Amino acid sequence: MLIAHLSDPHLRPRGTFYQGLVDSNAMFEAAVSHLNSINPKPDVVILSGDVVDEGTPAEYVVAREFLGTIEAPVLVIPGNHDKREAFRACFLDQDYIAPSGPLHFIAPNHGPVRIIGLDITVPGEHHGDMDDAACDWLTNALALEADRPTIVMMHQPPFKSGIPYIDEYNCRRGQRLAEIIARYPAVERILCGHIHRFMQVRFGGTMLCTAPSTTSAIALRLWPDAEPASFIEPPALLLHQWRPDTGLVTHHVPIGSFRGPLPFF
Ligand SMILES: [Fe+2]
């Protein structure tokens, strides 16, 4: 089972740049084009939030159009830049989208790995929160097939990365999540967005990865009073391949055209 993972495209109305500076739509088109050329084809694509930048209906029109060019089925969760009800209205015809409340889901079957979307966004805020309702929902969801290999996808990461200006807006009360996950060893991975960088950390007895954005990267500044900044680094996506003999293998895949193939050396 092959799962492609995109994050934080921050799509904008046509002709508009992300923060007035970056053509995030063109960068997402490049990501989709790269994704559609992957061999073998992914069974499913997951998108870990910040589908659009301001949450306007015009942006969601673009989102539907662009996501429609992805050849595999797509599963999305909202990020802090999405607006919950506009997001729901945009994707309501998809069978995994909840008709009310947080946009949690347990995906229909796309292969041996079960994919759970956990919506820990707090409407109107940039941080996330593992509140009582999210804890209850996740506990029940995991218990439904406790022994099945599982991915939990969420937007804001529940840990401190060391980059101060993003840690301020992480998922609060992450320890509660760690305690739940620790009871379900079949959770292969927690996958997050938000941080616009690839990171890995041990969390709740499993492995947690954050995906890079298809557009900007948050500056890697690991000192306490660092000035917030972004860079246009080479964009990337993640590929997670489930292998019965190994488990879930995660590949970091730069987006673009590169010299090669050259001989194997
Ligand atoms: Fe983002």
Side-chain angles (χ1 to χ4, degrees):
M1 180 179 183
L2 191 60
I3 301 157
H5 181 184
L6 302 174
S7 200
D8 296 78
H10 289 263
L11 297 171
R12 298 289 286 128
R14 285 212 173 274
T16 313
F17 279 17
Y18 171 34
Q19 299 295 310
L21 295 168
V22 184
D23 193 350
S24 55
N25 291 6
M27 295 182 83
F28 190 66
E29 282 183 303
V32 171
S33 162
H34 196 112
L35 179 62
N36 286 339
S37 73
I38 289 170
N39 183 13
K41 300 241 176 250
D43 297 288
V44 64
V45 174
I46 59 176
L47 206 173
S48 49
D50 285 357
V51 179
V52 303
D53 192 49
E54 294 184 352
T56 62
E59 290 181 333
Y60 284 110
V61 168
V62 170
R64 266 316 278 252
E65 187 184 327
F66 282 19
L67 293 184
T69 63
I70 297 176
E71 291 167 6
V74 182
L75 300 169
V76 288
I77 54 166
N80 52 301
H81 283 263
D82 292 295
K83 293 273 192 297
R84 181 175 283 175
E85 295 313 321
F87 181 101
R88 192 192 318 277
C90 174
F91 297 111
L92 198 55
D93 61 336
Q94 308 291 303
D95 56 5
Y96 65 91
I97 293 290
S100 62
L103 289 143
H104 306 307
F105 66 77
I106 304 172
N109 281 335
H110 294 289
V113 178
R114 174 175 61 157
I115 301 172
I116 289 179
L118 180 67
D119 179 7
I120 41 74
T121 61
V122 181
E125 303 288 345
H126 285 300
H127 67 270
D129 186 30
M130 200 59 201
D131 64 14
D132 291 349
C135 289
D136 290 347
W137 185 89
L138 181 64
T139 301
N140 291 332
L142 289 170
L144 288 175
E145 289 183 279
D147 299 327
R148 184 168 167 197
T150 297
I151 284 171
V152 176
M153 170 170 65
M154 57 197 283
H155 183 66
Q156 291 97 336
F159 67 96
K160 296 271 189 191
S161 70
I163 303 177
Y165 37 86
I166 194 71
D167 288 346
E168 199 178 328
Y169 305 112
N170 72 356
C171 175
R172 296 181 185 165
R173 296 194 274 185
Q175 186 53 34
R176 300 173 112 192
L177 175 63
E179 286 164 12
I180 294 168
I181 296 292
R183 299 204 296 270
Y184 293 92
V187 175
E188 282 281 330
R189 208 72 99 242
I190 300 171
L191 299 174
C192 303
H194 189 56
I195 218 158
H196 292 219
R197 303 199 66 81
F198 179 56
M199 296 182 194
Q200 301 178 87
V201 63
R202 184 167 68 175
F203 186 89
T206 189
M207 193 171 150
L208 185 155
C209 298
T210 68
S213 164
T214 57
T215 179
S216 60
I218 285 172
L220 180 56
R221 293 181 169 176
L222 296 167
W223 58 92
D225 55 350
E227 193 66 20
S230 296
F231 285 85
I232 307 303
E233 295 183 1
L237 56 88
L238 301 182
L239 271 184
H240 311 284
Q241 185 179 40
W242 171 255
R243 299 179 53 88
D245 55 353
T246 308
L248 200 66
V249 182
T250 293
H251 302 264
H252 177 271
V253 184
I255 294 165
S257 299
F258 305 99
R259 187 179 166 210
L262 304 176
F264 173 59
F265 42 47

